[in-house]
């Protein structure tokens, strides 16, 4: 479940080509900035404005005047960037996304319809189609000892070679309020995380994360 097709429907992002060229989704992280610089000039001018160097914003997007946006950055159609949002660069915000009040983004890909609406920090991370982070939930993207991040799934460990790596959220993931996603977290499609959780490692798809020792399979209706 580490591979890109297991986590994401690539039809819901402009960055599909990046993922198709990699095995693991976190391998995309160092390439985001350069990819956006190359993609931006190819975007249709009838759809996107180009207000600043390496910044492209869809004409249909709603951007609060108090938002801070630094390139490289692409904001797609009908996205909403709310009051005091802080986009620090290397950010692709998909169509119909919500980036809310005081949310900070840095080196991220948000697939279409992602919502990070209230006081979230999302850094060095990828959020799949319709993923949602509850108020105050954040990605922690650097280990306290500053060593390289390793993805852990039980006894299996995959070195990433990255010092900064927050979380990979599959399509339709729901993260409860005030949760912390520790460096190297990978959450499978359709999984929900309880509020106030501390999450690390690989969490299976279609699960409910209640605590590190209580992860249950979601019952099908």
């Amino acid at each position: 479940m580490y591979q890109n097709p297991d986590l994401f429907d690539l039809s819901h992002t402009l960055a599909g080509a990046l993922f198709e060229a990699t095995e693991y989704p976190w391998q995309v992280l160092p390439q985001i900035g350069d990819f956006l610089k190359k993609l931006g000039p190819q975007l249709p001018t009838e759809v996107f404005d180009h207000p600043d160097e390496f910044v492209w914003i869809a004409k249909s997007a709603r951007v609060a005047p108090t938002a801070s946006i630094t390139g490289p950055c692409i904001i797609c159609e009908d996205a909403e960037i709310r009051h005091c949002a802080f986009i620090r660069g290397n950010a692709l915000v998909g169509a119909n996304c919500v980036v809310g009040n005081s949310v900070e983004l840095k080196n991220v890909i948000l697939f279409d319809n992602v919502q990070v609406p209230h006081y979230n920090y999302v850094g060095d991370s990828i959020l799949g189609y319709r993923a949602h982070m509850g108020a105050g939930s954040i990605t922690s993207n650097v280990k306290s000892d500053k060593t390289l991040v390793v993805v852990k799934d039980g006894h299996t460990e995959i070195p990433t070679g990255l010092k900064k790596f927050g979380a990979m959220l599959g399509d339709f993931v729901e993260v409860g309020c005030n949760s912390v996603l520790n460096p190297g977290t990978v959450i499978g499609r359709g999984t929900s995380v309880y509020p106030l959780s501390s999450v690390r490692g690989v969490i299976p798809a279609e699960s409910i994360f209640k605590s590190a020792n209580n992860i249950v399979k979601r019952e099908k209706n």
Side-chain angles (χ1 to χ4, degrees), residues 104-145:
E104 182 176 348
L105 302 180
K106 172 254 181 187
N107 200 48
V108 299
I109 294 174
L110 307 186
F111 278 55
D112 298 343
N113 294 82
V114 165
Q115 293 191 349
V116 281
H118 308 290
Y119 302 100
N120 308 105
Y121 172 69
V122 186
D124 300 284
S125 299
I126 298 168
L127 277 57
Y129 177 62
R130 289 192 180 277
H132 171 261
M133 295 183 68
S137 59
I138 65 168
T139 63
S140 173
N141 60 335
V142 180
K143 295 173 64 176
S144 59
D145 62 5

Side-chain angles (χ1 to χ4, degrees), residues 7-221:
L7 289 173
F8 309 122
D9 179 345
L10 299 184
S11 68
H12 291 292
T13 179
L14 293 180
L18 260 184
F19 292 92
E20 291 170 353
T22 60
E23 180 179 9
Y24 299 119
W26 52 83
Q27 294 171 328
V28 165
L29 294 174
Q31 305 178 52
I32 294 174
D34 288 341
F35 177 79
L36 296 179
K37 289 179 182 178
K38 294 176 182 177
L39 176 61
Q42 302 174 37
L43 297 172
T45 55
E46 65 272 18
V47 178
F48 286 86
D49 290 325
H50 183 29
D52 203 351
E53 185 179 25
F54 302 129
V55 175
W56 294 267
I57 301 175
K59 298 178 189 295
S60 62
R62 300 175 299 284
V63 180
T66 52
S68 175
I69 301 173
T70 301
C73 177
I74 295 174
I75 298 172
C76 296
E77 295 95 321
D78 299 308
E80 182 178 358
I81 313 299
R82 294 177 178 168
H83 173 67
C84 288
F86 182 28
I87 300 177
R88 289 171 48 196
N90 294 354
L92 172 57
V93 178
N96 301 297
C97 285
V98 175
V99 179
N101 175 31
S102 301
V103 168
E104 182 176 348
L105 302 180
K106 172 254 181 187
N107 200 48
V108 299
I109 294 174
L110 307 186
F111 278 55
D112 298 343
N113 294 82
V114 165
Q115 293 191 349
V116 281
H118 308 290
Y119 302 100
N120 308 105
Y121 172 69
V122 186
D124 300 284
S125 299
I126 298 168
L127 277 57
Y129 177 62
R130 289 192 180 277
H132 171 261
M133 295 183 68
S137 59
I138 65 168
T139 63
S140 173
N141 60 335
V142 180
K143 295 173 64 176
S144 59
D145 62 5
K146 306 301 189 293
T147 57
L148 300 181
V149 176
V150 176
V151 173
K152 298 181 179 181
D153 183 7
H155 296 295
T156 301
E157 297 188 355
I158 303 177
T160 69
L162 300 173
K163 182 178 178 181
K164 294 186 177 182
F165 169 8
M168 305 285 114
L169 274 58
D171 298 340
F172 300 102
V173 165
E174 291 277 346
V175 178
C177 296
N178 290 316
S179 293
V180 177
L181 309 180
N182 289 281
T185 295
V186 180
I187 303 179
R189 289 177 189 252
T191 287
S192 295
V193 174
Y194 268 25
L196 299 173
S197 295
S198 177
V199 186
R200 68 179 67 248
V202 176
I203 312 302
E206 301 297 338
S207 299
I208 300 175
F209 181 101
K210 300 181 178 183
S211 69
N213 298 315
N214 190 5
I215 303 172
V216 300
K217 196 68 177 176
R218 185 185 297 281
E219 294 182 1
K220 294 184 179 180
N221 297 326

